[in-house]
Amino acid sequence: MNSLTEKKFKVSFNSPVILAFTVICLAALILDYVTRGAANDMFFSVYRSSLASPFTYIRFFGHVAGHAGWEHFIGNIMLILIVGPLLEEKYGSANILFVILSTALVTGLVNFIFFPSIHLLGASGVVFALILLSSFTSIKEGDIPLTFILVAVIYIGEQIYKGIFIQDNVANLTHIIGAVVGAALGFIMNKNKMNRY
């Protein structure tokens, strides 16, 4: 028998943080559907609320798992599943988890402080953080990758333009903040100031 026909393929759990984040987002979407929007209001969107409530602190992080619907979820998760596993392999699971949590906290706090009546939800800030982080994957000491400059100009420039000239329900500032967090953490990680494990 040919050795090629004997070889068995198996599914590998290659990116635990990205896969777990995807499952959490899917579970949040289903839970929100089942509760007719109550789950997003309670756990998966951030807005001005009492600092005495423990749910406020959960929402500072939980809002990145919430999505307004299937299209919103697919749009964010597809990009995360494309870019995330490569970054998790390069930087390590702990660092990618730190990027996700940092992006959630920073964008959540900005929305809480400056946009009290707006319910912010979705993983788009994380998407932009990972996109900017990906442009640092081949950085060398003292070099600024041209890919980083192009990505920053194209993605951040587009968000600034849309934020000024287009009125929609897209949180352009969240995208910009996510990109800044991803770029800053990419710079730090490539300077070996964060352990890769």
Side-chain angles (χ1 to χ4, degrees):
M1 234 186 168
N2 191 326
S3 62
L4 286 176
T5 58
E6 292 176 4
K7 186 170 182 176
K8 293 181 180 176
F9 293 98
K10 63 178 184 175
V11 176
S12 64
F13 194 66
N14 64 319
S15 186
V17 169
I18 295 299
L19 291 171
F21 183 69
T22 300
V23 169
I24 290 167
C25 290
L26 179 60
L29 182 67
I30 293 167
L31 185 60
D32 188 61
Y33 177 75
V34 169
T35 62
R36 299 182 182 197
N40 273 356
D41 284 340
M42 186 168 286
F43 303 111
F44 305 119
S45 60
V46 67
Y47 48 88
R48 181 74 58 83
S49 57
S50 171
L51 290 173
S53 170
F55 292 112
T56 297
Y57 302 97
I58 292 169
R59 288 190 290 265
F60 282 148
F61 296 96
H63 70 96
V64 296
H67 289 86
W70 185 250
E71 257 183 58
H72 188 205
F73 168 80
I74 289 291
N76 285 331
I77 293 303
M78 285 305 296
L79 286 168
I80 288 171
L81 286 172
I82 290 166
V83 177
L86 300 171
L87 294 173
E88 190 168 346
E89 186 177 326
K90 176 175 174 59
Y91 294 110
S93 296
N95 283 333
I96 294 304
L97 179 60
F98 185 76
V99 169
I100 292 169
L101 294 176
S102 298
T103 303
L105 181 60
V106 173
T107 56
L109 285 172
V110 167
N111 193 79
F112 181 88
I113 294 167
F114 296 107
F115 306 99
S117 61
I118 295 175
H119 286 230
L120 176 69
L121 73 162
S124 56
V126 173
V127 169
F128 274 78
L130 295 179
I131 287 170
L132 265 288
L133 180 60
S134 71
S135 65
F136 275 92
T137 54
S138 60
I139 194 171
K140 294 176 187 162
E141 187 67 36
D143 289 345
I144 299 174
L146 181 58
T147 53
F148 169 75
I149 295 168
L150 289 172
V151 167
V153 168
I154 291 168
Y155 275 93
I156 296 176
E158 178 190 31
Q159 295 310 304
I160 291 170
Y161 171 81
K162 285 182 175 179
I164 294 171
F165 297 109
I166 298 174
Q167 298 298 318
D168 56 19
N169 281 337
V170 177
N172 302 103
L173 182 60
T174 300
H175 297 171
I176 294 167
I177 293 168
V180 170
V181 170
L185 292 178
F187 180 78
I188 291 167
M189 285 189 277
N190 278 286
K191 284 286 198 177
N192 293 316
K193 292 177 183 171
M194 291 176 79
N195 294 325
R196 296 180 188 184
Y197 57 89

